[in-house]
């Protein structure tokens, strides 16, 4: 199943923001800034990526449930969820 960009727009926005935060973390480390600040930002990046991943899975599930004749593969769904944990 393919997702349309409009269906995952919020996830795309979140990932772009996380991309910028990650670049900031790299700069902080390269510039020798406080590790506590870098770790705080890195945790924020990690949470943003996780939320985007779960959102993408949820959109995909919703799309599958709307389409007649589409079966949800439980093993595949479990694998996707576990890949984010």
């Amino acid at each position: 199943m393919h997702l349309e960009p409009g269906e995952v727009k919020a996830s795309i926005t979140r990932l772009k923001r996380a991309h910028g935060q990650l670049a900031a973390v790299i700069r902080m480390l390269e510039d020798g800034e406080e590790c506590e600040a870098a770790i705080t930002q890195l945790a924020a990046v990690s949470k943003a990526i996780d939320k985007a991943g779960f959102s993408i899975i949820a959109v995909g599930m919703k799309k599958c449930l709307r389409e007649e004749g589409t079966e949800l593969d439980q093993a595949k769904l479990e694998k996707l969820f576990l890949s984010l944990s």
Side-chain angles (χ1 to χ4, degrees):
M1 164 192 15
H2 297 281
L3 298 175
E4 298 298 322
E7 295 174 308
V8 289
K9 185 176 180 180
S11 293
I12 292 169
T13 300
R14 186 181 305 263
L15 290 170
K16 286 181 179 181
R17 190 176 313 119
H19 184 267
Q21 287 176 304
L22 183 56
V25 170
I26 293 168
R27 279 192 306 275
M28 292 170 82
L29 295 173
E30 290 175 339
D31 294 344
E33 292 189 29
E34 287 288 324
C35 68
E36 186 176 340
I39 290 170
T40 299
Q41 286 298 313
L42 194 56
V45 171
S46 179
K47 287 178 185 176
I49 291 170
D50 287 346
K51 284 184 177 183
F54 287 123
S55 177
I56 291 167
I57 291 170
V59 168
M61 286 176 57
K62 188 175 180 180
K63 188 172 183 174
C64 278
L65 291 172
R66 278 188 287 183
E67 294 175 1
E68 285 193 39
T70 303
E71 285 191 40
L72 293 175
D73 181 347
Q74 183 176 344
K76 188 174 183 178
L77 285 173
E78 286 177 15
K79 185 177 179 180
L80 287 171
F81 276 110
L82 290 173
S83 70
L84 293 172
S85 63

